[in-house]
Amino acid sequence: QVQLVESGGGLVQAGGSLRLSCAASGTISSRNTMGWYRQSPGKQRELVATITTGGSTNYADSVKGRFSISRDNDKNTMYLQMTSLNPEDTAVYYCKIAEFVGRDYWGQGTQVTVSS
């Protein structure tokens, strides 16, 4: 059974920073992509950033240069370092693991609120 638990969300002022964590447990294929998605009320969930087991990254244009995704395979944890936050970044942030051959797993999400 696979579980993903996000943490690190909270309230921050515009221009501030937050570091999100996603701790994974259970049996997960070594060939996978982990990613962060976010969703605001009334909007569809959107991709924020992804990272493969080998460390290849991909970012949405809206966060490129401000957010940095990373993973620690020894700790089985993924991170999202967010800087220069603005109110448009306010959303519930979700962690996802996509197995190369297998299924996708989602966390429950963590709220990020950026005040203006």
Side-chain angles (χ1 to χ4, degrees):
Q1 190 173 17
V2 174
Q3 290 188 336
L4 302 176
V5 180
E6 302 98 334
S7 62
L11 176 64
V12 65
Q13 296 182 56
S17 301
L18 282 175
R19 188 188 190 221
L20 305 183
S21 298
C22 172
S25 63
T27 302
I28 304 171
S29 173
S30 61
R31 300 175 66 187
N32 65 76
T33 297
M34 299 186 73
W36 289 98
Y37 290 70
R38 66 186 182 186
Q39 186 170 22
S40 300
K43 299 182 65 178
Q44 290 194 312
R45 193 170 299 182
E46 64 176 353
L47 171 72
V48 176
T50 61
I51 184 168
T52 67
T53 308
S56 297
T57 59
N58 178 64
Y59 296 92
D61 289 340
S62 60
V63 306
K64 195 172 299 182
R66 300 189 298 119
F67 292 7
S68 180
I69 189 171
S70 62
R71 62 190 292 170
D72 187 331
N73 293 327
D74 292 335
K75 296 181 178 180
N76 208 20
T77 302
M78 177 180 65
Y79 307 94
L80 184 68
Q81 180 65 54
M82 305 184 294
T83 61
S84 301
L85 286 163
N86 58 65
E88 287 69 45
D89 296 316
T90 295
V92 177
Y93 284 71
Y94 297 91
C95 173
K96 186 184 83 170
I97 295 179
E99 295 181 306
F100 184 72
V101 178
R103 58 160 290 180
D104 296 348
Y105 304 93
W106 291 89
Q108 293 299 308
T110 183
Q111 176 71 47
V112 172
T113 302
V114 184
S115 62
S116 59

